[in-house]
Amino acid sequence: MPTPSSSMSRVMQYHGCRSHIKDRSKVTELEDKFDLLVDANDAILERVGILLDEASGVVKNQQPILPAGLQAPKTIVSSWNRKGGESQKRTKSATFRLLHAKNILRPQLKFKEKVDNSNTPFIPKLFIKPNAQRPLPAVLANHRERQKRPEDLDVPPALADFIHQQRLQRDEQELFSHPYQYELDHFTPAESLLENPQIQMYQPLEQTPCHYVSTLDQLVEMNEKLLGCCEFAVDLEHHSYRSFLGLTCLMQISTRNEDFIIDTLELRSDLHILNESFTDPGVVKVLHGADSDVEWLQKDFGLYLVNMFDTHQAARALNLGRHSLDHLLKLYCDVQSDKRYQLADWRIRPLPEEMMQYARADTHYLLYIYDKMRFALLEGNNGQPNLLQAVWQRSKDLCLKRYTKPIFSEDSYLELYRKQKRHLNTQQLTAFRLIYAWRDRTARQEDESTGYVLPNHMMLKISEELPKEPQGIIACCNPIPPLVRQQLNELHLLILQAREMPLLKTEIQSSIKKRGPMPDPERSESLLFGPHDGSQTALDEAVIFSSTESAPLLKQGNLFSEDEKPTTDGAVPFSSLFARATISIFSDPEEGGNKLGMTVAQKKSMSIMESFENPFRMYLPQQETSAHISQAAKFDPSTKIFEISHRWKLVSQAKLQMEATAKEEARQKAQQILQQQIDARKKTEAKYQTAAEAIIPVRQQAAEENSNKKRERKASEPGAWTPKPGKKRSKGSEGLQLESEEPVPLKEFTPFDYSKSDFKAFAGGNTSKKQPHFDPNSQASTGKKFTGAKKHNPSAGNRSMSFPTGKSDRGFRHSWPKR
C-alpha cells in the first residue's frame, strides 16, 4: 500500500506542482510542507474552475483540446514552418501550431517502466531472443524477475540486476555484452543481395495506404505483415530537450505497398515483439544514417537489427557530393523534401496531419533508393560485388554498436572545459566544477536535459563572473531557466563556496590537453624503434671488448627491461650492451603503496587504472567476508540503501586503516634511510678533515723550494769566499759545506746556538787564487741577492776586456778584478 505522503506527491507531480514532501533533504519543517500543500491545492482548484467554465460554456476556448498544462498553448509562426510562396493559397494546414514544451504533458509519467537516469551502466532490456543461434544469457532472461525480489524494489533497475547477478556469481561480461553478437559475427548477406536488383518503382504517396499504430493489436498485425516481406524501411523521430536520456517519440516503417506510423510513446513497453522481424536474417532492414537509430532502439525498446543496409554508407561508397537523405531524394526520386517540421516537438499528441506526412515521406521512397544504390554500386565496380560487400560490412558494424549511458565522474567537467578554450583561475574553475555537478544531479532527478537545466554558455558565464548576490546569477542568464530560478539559493551557495578558494594559477591546462591514444598496457614491453636506435644492431657489428679489459656493466633502471641480467661469472651478454627502452609506467607499483617515490607519469597512470574499477564495487561485499544484510532490510525498502551504504562505510574504514599502516611503514623506512645518509655524511666529513690536516700549505712549500735551491747553489761552488775584516759580511756562509738534510717545516722560531758551530770555515784556510780577470761564468753564491748587478753601468763605456773561460766570483762589487 502506498503511503499518504507518496500518494500526495504523485498527485502534485501529475499536475505539475512542486512535490518535495517525501524528500527530507528539501523539506524539513511542518510549515514548509503546509505551504506546499496550499500552493498545490490552489493550482488544482484553479484548473478545475477553468475546466468547469469551459464545460458550461461561460468561457469558449477556440484552441484545439490538447493535454496541456496550466498555461494555454501559444501559436508560434516562424519562417521555417510557412509555405514557400506567399502568393500560394493559404489552406487550413498552411501553418502549424508549434507548442512549447511546458504545454505538453510529460509522457514519462505514463511509462509502465520508469526511466532509469541513475549513474550506472546500461543493461540490455532484452529478455526474449527471437531468431537466436545462441541462447540469451540467463541474467538477461530473468530481467523481469525483479518484481519477485522485494529487497531490490527501491534500487535502480540496472543496479538491482547487477547485484542479483553478483549474488549468483555469474560472469559480468554476459550482463553488458551485445545480445546478438554471435548472430552478427556469423551473418553473411545472401547471394541474391549481391546481384543486380530488380528495381521496383515506388507508388505515389497519395495512393499508398498509411496506418497509424497505437494499440497492441495493431502492432501484432503489423509485425505479421513485416515477417512476410523481403525488405522494409525504418526511421525514427527522437526528442532530447525535455528528457535526460532522450525519448523516441515516433517510428516510421514502409513496405513496398504500405506505410506505418507507430506511436512509440503509447506502445513503449510492447515494442519488443518487433524483434521477430528486426532480427530476422532473411529480411532486409533499410535505414539512412543508422548510427543513432541503432542506439535509440536499444535504449528505449530493447530492439536490435540483423541484416541492415544503410544508404548513408552506400552514398559514401559511391563518393556522392552529399550524403544526406534530402540529396538522395532529389537525385533518385526528384522529390523536394520538406524540412519545416524537422525541429518540431514530436511529443505532441495527437499529431497534426502535416507532421504525419513529413514523417511518412522519410521512409516511403527509401526502398526505391535502396534498389538504385545497389545497382549503382555494382555498375561502378564493373559488375563485381566488392563495393557492395563493403557497404554490407559497414552496415553490420553499425548493428554491433552498443548503447552506453552518460556516466558522471569527478573529472567529467574537464571535457567541457577543454572544448570552451577558456582560461579560468582556481576560484572560477571550482565554481565551474560545482555547477557542472549540480546540473548533472538536477537533470537526473528531474529527467531534464542538461541544456534545459542550464545551458553551457550560461554556466560558463556564471563561473567567470562569480556573482556575490543571487541577483547576479539571474543577470547572467537570459532567458532564465526555470530550474535555476527554483534552486537559486542552492546555486548561490555553490558560488560562495568557490569564492572561498585561494586564488592561484591553475595547473589544469597541461593535464587536459588533447591526448592521443593511450598505449596498450599489455604491449608495454615492445621495443621503441627510432632512426638512431642502436638496440637492433647485429652482433658482428657490436663493439667486442678484449679479454683483458672488463666490459662496462650497464645498470638498468625502470625505463629499461629487467629480463636480461649479468651472468654469475661476470661476463656481460651482448644484449645488455644495448639499452632497450620500454614503457613501464603502467606496471604495478612496489609494495607499500608509497607514492612519494613515484614519478609524475606513474601517478597519472595509477589514476587512470583506478578509473577503470568496477562502478558497482561499493555495493558488493568484501572478498574475505560476505556482507551481512539484516532480515528487516529484506522486507523494508527504506533501509536497503542504508544497509548497503553502511557496509560500504565499513569497507572504506578498513581500507583507510590499511593505507594508514602502509604510510606509517613508509615513514619509518624513510627515517631509516635519512639516518643512514646522516651517518655516511659524518664519516665523509671526518675523512675530509683528516686529509686536510695532511696537506702542506702553499707558503711552506714555497719556502722549502727556496731553501732547496740555495743548498744546491752552495753545493755546486768550488770554493768559498772569505770577506775582509771591517766590511759587512753577508748573511749566509758562502764556503760552508753543509750536509744534505731533509727539509723540516718551520713551526716556530728558535735562536741559533753558535757554540755548536764549526768555526774552521772562518779560519781563512782557503787557498783558492783570485782570478786576475773578470769571469762572468763564475758567481759567488750568497744568501742575499745583489739587485744592483741587473742595472746597466754607464761608466763602463766601450771598454774591451778579455775574460778567461774559467768561472769567476761574480755577484759583488769587491769581487771584480783590479785593472
Side-chain angles (χ1 to χ4, degrees):
M1 288 294 293
T3 59
S5 60
S6 62
S7 301
M8 294 168 61
S9 298
R10 292 179 180 177
V11 173
M12 294 167 65
Q13 189 176 5
Y14 178 81
H15 291 282
C17 304
R18 296 170 57 191
S19 58
H20 299 315
I21 294 180
K22 194 176 180 181
D23 194 350
R24 299 180 180 178
S25 61
K26 296 183 179 180
V27 181
T28 56
E29 297 181 358
L30 185 62
E31 296 179 357
D32 297 334
K33 296 181 180 180
F34 183 78
D35 294 338
L36 287 178
L37 288 177
V38 171
D39 296 339
N41 289 331
D42 293 341
I44 295 173
L45 292 176
E46 183 179 358
R47 185 181 179 186
V48 170
I50 294 174
L51 295 177
L52 290 176
D53 293 340
E54 292 179 359
S56 61
V58 177
V59 178
K60 295 183 179 180
N61 189 6
Q62 300 297 333
Q63 297 179 353
I65 300 176
L66 295 174
L70 298 178
Q71 298 182 4
K74 298 180 182 180
T75 302
I76 301 177
V77 181
S78 56
S79 60
W80 58 267
N81 61 7
R82 286 185 182 273
K83 286 292 185 183
E86 294 292 338
S87 60
Q88 295 181 0
K89 184 178 179 180
R90 197 176 289 255
T91 60
K92 182 179 179 181
S93 61
T95 58
F96 162 63
R97 296 182 183 275
L98 177 63
L99 303 182
H100 196 269
K102 64 181 179 180
N103 300 323
I104 300 174
L105 184 65
R106 295 173 65 85
Q108 298 94 314
L109 301 177
K110 297 181 180 180
F111 293 164
K112 296 180 181 179
E113 185 176 354
K114 299 303 178 183
V115 179
D116 181 17
N117 295 329
S118 60
N119 195 29
T120 55
F122 175 76
I123 295 179
K125 294 184 176 182
L126 188 67
F127 59 93
I128 297 176
K129 186 177 179 181
N131 304 308
Q133 299 180 14
R134 175 175 291 182
L136 186 69
V139 63
L140 296 178
N142 299 330
H143 182 71
R144 293 199 170 183
E145 291 185 1
R146 193 181 305 112
Q147 298 178 357
K148 301 179 182 179
R149 305 194 300 265
E151 68 274 10
D152 294 336
L153 291 179
D154 58 333
V155 182
L159 183 58
D161 291 339
F162 183 82
I163 295 176
H164 182 67
Q165 177 230 6
Q166 291 294 329
R167 292 188 186 126
L168 301 178
Q169 295 182 355
R170 289 172 177 163
D171 188 9
E172 181 181 352
Q173 186 177 0
E174 297 180 354
L175 191 63
F176 302 104
S177 61
H178 196 289
Y180 283 89
Q181 176 81 33
Y182 182 82
E183 286 77 7
L184 288 171
D185 290 341
H186 293 77
F187 168 76
T188 54
E191 293 294 336
S192 60
L193 299 177
L194 302 178
E195 299 174 354
N196 282 327
Q198 182 180 0
I199 300 177
Q200 301 181 25
M201 189 64 183
Y202 58 88
Q203 297 181 3
L205 192 64
E206 296 79 8
Q207 299 178 6
T208 305
C210 180
H211 307 282
Y212 185 78
V213 179
S214 59
T215 62
L216 181 59
D217 294 338
Q218 295 174 347
L219 183 64
V220 173
E221 182 181 356
M222 184 197 69
N223 187 41
E224 296 295 333
K225 293 180 179 181
L226 295 179
L227 290 174
C229 299
C230 296
E231 63 272 328
F232 59 86
V234 182
D235 191 25
L236 302 176
E237 301 297 340
H238 194 260
H239 177 81
S240 59
Y241 184 62
R242 296 301 307 273
S243 176
F244 182 74
L245 298 178
L247 298 172
T248 302
C249 303
L250 208 66
M251 181 187 296
Q252 307 96 266
I253 296 179
S254 296
T255 63
R256 298 284 183 179
N257 303 318
E258 292 179 289
D259 296 333
F260 300 93
I261 296 179
I262 302 98
D263 187 359
T264 57
L265 297 179
E266 189 71 25
L267 300 173
R268 181 183 175 93
S269 59
D270 300 324
L271 284 173
H272 61 86
I273 66 175
L274 292 179
N275 272 321
E276 296 182 13
S277 55
F278 277 43
T279 60
D280 188 355
V283 181
V284 180
K285 277 69 65 176
V286 183
L287 287 86
H288 180 83
D291 303 68
S292 301
D293 295 343
V294 170
E295 297 183 357
W296 294 340
L297 290 173
Q298 297 178 17
K299 170 178 65 72
D300 293 330
F301 317 122
L303 293 176
Y304 295 86
L305 295 175
V306 179
N307 192 4
M308 185 266 291
F309 185 90
D310 191 353
T311 55
H312 176 78
Q313 301 297 330
R316 293 180 57 187
L318 291 172
N319 294 324
L320 300 180
R322 295 167 55 193
H323 306 150
S324 62
L325 182 59
D326 301 340
H327 180 67
L328 298 182
L329 289 173
K330 183 66 176 177
L331 180 63
Y332 294 109
C333 305
D334 196 16
V335 174
Q336 186 67 36
S337 61
D338 187 5
K339 292 298 179 184
R340 291 181 298 166
Y341 309 107
Q342 188 174 10
L343 301 178
D345 192 345
W346 290 95
R347 301 177 301 161
I348 298 173
R349 296 295 183 273
L351 279 174
E353 184 65 23
E354 294 83 357
M355 297 180 67
M356 293 272 289
Q357 296 298 326
Y358 168 80
R360 178 185 178 187
D362 286 345
T363 57
H364 180 76
Y365 306 96
L366 202 56
L367 291 178
Y368 176 75
I369 296 175
Y370 159 67
D371 293 340
K372 297 286 288 185
M373 298 192 81
R374 286 169 56 200
F375 179 79
L377 289 170
L378 290 173
E379 185 181 9
N381 200 26
N382 297 325
Q384 299 297 323
N386 298 338
L387 201 58
L388 186 57
Q389 288 177 349
V391 176
W392 283 108
Q393 181 62 36
R394 293 178 185 176
S395 302
K396 186 175 73 171
D397 294 340
L398 291 178
C399 296
L400 287 171
K401 291 184 63 176
R402 293 186 298 111
Y403 172 74
T404 56
K405 288 173 59 177
I407 301 298
F408 175 80
S409 62
E410 295 181 354
D411 297 333
S412 298
Y413 72 100
L414 295 179
E415 185 68 21
L416 179 60
Y417 174 58
R418 178 173 58 83
K419 292 179 180 179
Q420 299 299 325
K421 298 181 180 180
R422 302 285 184 90
H423 298 283
L424 305 179
N425 55 30
T426 51
Q427 294 181 354
Q428 295 171 340
L429 194 60
T430 303
F432 187 80
R433 175 176 58 82
L434 295 175
I435 297 175
Y436 186 90
W438 168 83
R439 185 181 71 165
D440 184 86
R441 181 176 65 255
T442 305
R444 293 177 187 272
Q445 292 176 356
E446 303 294 337
D447 195 15
E448 302 284 358
S449 65
T450 55
Y452 177 82
V453 176
L454 183 62
N456 293 336
H457 67 280
M458 294 184 184
M459 180 171 61
L460 189 63
K461 181 68 173 177
I462 296 174
S463 302
E464 288 179 341
E465 298 295 335
L466 294 178
K468 297 182 180 179
E469 301 296 334
Q471 291 77 10
I473 301 177
I474 297 178
C476 294
C477 304
N478 186 23
I480 306 171
L483 293 174
V484 172
R485 188 185 294 275
Q486 292 179 10
Q487 304 186 22
L488 185 61
N489 294 331
E490 182 179 356
L491 201 59
H492 181 239
L493 293 177
L494 297 178
I495 297 176
L496 294 180
Q497 180 181 351
R499 293 179 66 92
E500 296 177 356
M501 295 291 294
L503 191 61
L504 301 174
K505 183 179 180 181
T506 57
E507 299 179 355
I508 202 67
Q509 300 295 334
S510 59
S511 63
I512 65 174
K513 289 182 179 179
K514 194 170 184 179
R515 304 181 180 93
M518 295 298 295
D520 191 357
E522 297 179 358
R523 302 180 60 186
S524 61
E525 296 297 328
S526 61
L527 300 177
L528 302 180
F529 175 75
H532 304 288
D533 185 13
S535 60
Q536 304 300 326
T537 308
L539 295 179
D540 54 356
E541 298 177 2
V543 179
I544 304 176
F545 295 92
S546 61
S547 58
T548 57
E549 298 176 354
S550 60
L553 181 61
L554 297 181
K555 182 179 180 181
Q556 300 184 7
N558 292 334
L559 186 61
F560 304 104
S561 177
E562 297 181 2
D563 297 332
E564 299 176 352
K565 295 183 179 180
T567 56
T568 55
D569 55 355
V572 182
F574 286 106
S575 59
S576 65
L577 299 177
F578 303 100
R580 285 179 168 83
T582 59
I583 301 174
S584 60
I585 60 173
F586 287 97
S587 59
D588 295 335
E590 297 179 358
E591 296 182 359
N594 187 12
K595 293 186 179 181
L596 297 177
M598 299 173 61
T599 61
V600 178
Q602 289 177 343
K603 291 181 181 179
K604 289 183 179 180
S605 64
M606 179 172 290
S607 63
I608 292 173
M609 299 303 293
E610 290 176 355
S611 64
F612 290 104
E613 292 181 356
N614 193 341
F616 301 105
R617 190 186 63 177
M618 60 180 293
Y619 300 101
L620 301 177
Q622 279 184 304
Q623 297 180 357
E624 293 83 2
T625 58
S626 58
H628 171 71
I629 301 178
S630 61
Q631 295 294 331
K634 292 184 178 180
F635 302 97
D636 189 3
S638 61
T639 60
K640 176 61 180 176
I641 295 298
F642 172 78
E643 195 71 29
I644 296 177
S645 60
H646 181 65
R647 181 62 187 176
W648 171 243
K649 290 179 181 178
L650 296 179
V651 174
S652 300
Q653 292 177 1
K655 185 177 180 180
L656 290 175
Q657 291 179 0
M658 295 175 62
E659 291 179 355
T661 305
K663 288 181 180 179
E664 182 65 22
E665 294 178 356
R667 188 181 63 82
Q668 293 179 0
K669 187 176 180 180
Q671 289 181 355
Q672 293 177 0
I673 295 174
L674 181 61
Q675 186 64 30
Q676 293 176 0
Q677 292 178 354
I678 293 174
D679 297 341
R681 185 175 180 180
K682 289 182 178 180
K683 293 180 180 180
T684 305
E685 290 178 354
K687 292 181 180 180
Y688 175 76
Q689 291 179 359
T690 305
E693 292 177 356
I695 295 175
I696 303 174
V698 178
R699 293 185 178 180
Q700 187 175 347
Q701 293 179 5
E704 292 177 359
E705 290 178 359
N706 292 335
S707 61
N708 292 335
K709 290 180 181 179
K710 291 177 183 180
R711 291 170 184 168
E712 291 176 358
R713 291 173 186 171
K714 292 178 182 179
S716 62
E717 291 181 357
W721 172 76
T722 304
K724 296 181 179 180
K727 290 187 178 182
K728 189 175 180 180
R729 205 169 42 179
S730 60
K731 291 183 178 180
S733 300
E734 299 176 2
L736 183 62
Q737 300 293 334
L738 299 177
E739 299 177 357
S740 60
E741 298 178 356
E742 294 292 334
V744 181
L746 302 176
K747 295 184 180 180
E748 58 182 3
F749 174 74
T750 53
F752 185 71
D753 188 6
Y754 290 93
S755 61
K756 299 180 180 180
S757 301
D758 187 6
F759 294 98
K760 294 180 179 181
F762 303 95
N766 190 0
T767 58
S768 62
K769 294 181 180 181
K770 295 182 179 179
Q771 299 291 339
H773 301 285
F774 172 73
D775 187 2
N777 296 325
S778 175
Q779 286 185 349
S781 177
T782 59
K784 183 177 180 180
K785 292 183 180 179
F786 180 64
T787 57
K790 295 181 181 180
K791 295 181 181 180
H792 178 64
N793 189 7
S795 60
N798 294 326
R799 296 176 186 178
S800 60
M801 294 182 293
S802 59
F803 303 95
T805 59
K807 293 183 179 180
S808 64
D809 297 327
R810 183 185 177 187
F812 294 92
R813 285 178 295 177
H814 54 263
S815 299
W816 286 71
K818 295 180 181 180
R819 299 180 64 87

